[in-house]
Amino acid sequence: MSYVDGFVAPVPMDRLADYKKMARKAGKIWMEYGALAYSECVADDVKPGKVTSFPQSVKLKPGEVVVFSWIVYKNRRDRDRIMQKVMSDPRLAEYAEPKALPFDGKRMFFGGFKPIVEF
């Protein structure tokens, strides 16, 4: 079975082009180091819920959109190895400071997941 990292972040609409630029660069690097798939998706049909939702989870503000991303790896060991390489890659150094990110990293959430059903 594979292993998946998932990310959800609020991105200001006026910074979406900057986010895409960062994501394209990061995606190429992740794939170069061995990720099996890399996807970045912008919310299209995501409404606030009564209890919780994607917008509520990131405390979405007016003028922002939710971005949902995932990266697929062969297994957890590969993920750990790849993540270490990506995080130390000098091509992404410009995003090391929180203020350099095109979104509020404090409202982003992420985690690693073991699939329980795959086709």
Side-chain angles (χ1 to χ4, degrees):
M1 278 235 172
S2 62
Y3 195 81
V4 178
D5 276 335
F7 306 83
V8 179
V11 178
M13 290 296 294
D14 63 356
R15 299 289 314 271
L16 194 55
D18 296 330
Y19 184 91
K20 284 196 229 180
K21 179 181 175 186
M22 179 193 71
R24 281 188 194 104
K25 180 184 236 182
K28 288 177 184 175
I29 293 168
W30 248 282
M31 297 299 289
E32 178 184 315
Y33 286 127
L36 302 178
Y38 181 99
S39 295
E40 298 271 359
C41 306
V42 66
D44 179 56
D45 184 20
V46 179
K47 296 169 183 60
K50 291 183 179 180
V51 177
T52 191
S53 66
F54 279 98
Q56 289 162 285
S57 68
V58 295
K59 298 182 181 176
L60 197 68
K61 297 176 182 176
E64 293 180 333
V65 65
V66 175
V67 171
F68 172 55
S69 312
W70 68 90
I71 305 166
V72 180
Y73 309 91
K74 181 178 176 183
N75 53 45
R76 169 75 188 264
R77 190 176 72 229
D78 270 12
R79 179 270 208 149
D80 292 345
R81 177 185 57 79
I82 292 165
M83 184 67 78
Q84 183 178 23
K85 288 181 178 186
V86 169
M87 291 298 118
S88 63
D89 192 294
R91 294 172 289 179
L92 295 176
E94 67 185 285
Y95 301 110
E97 292 297 320
K99 290 185 180 192
L101 294 172
F103 62 94
D104 182 355
K106 291 179 183 174
R107 291 186 289 137
M108 174 179 85
F109 65 95
F110 54 91
F113 297 83
K114 294 188 295 187
I116 57 173
V117 176
E118 288 184 311
F119 290 97

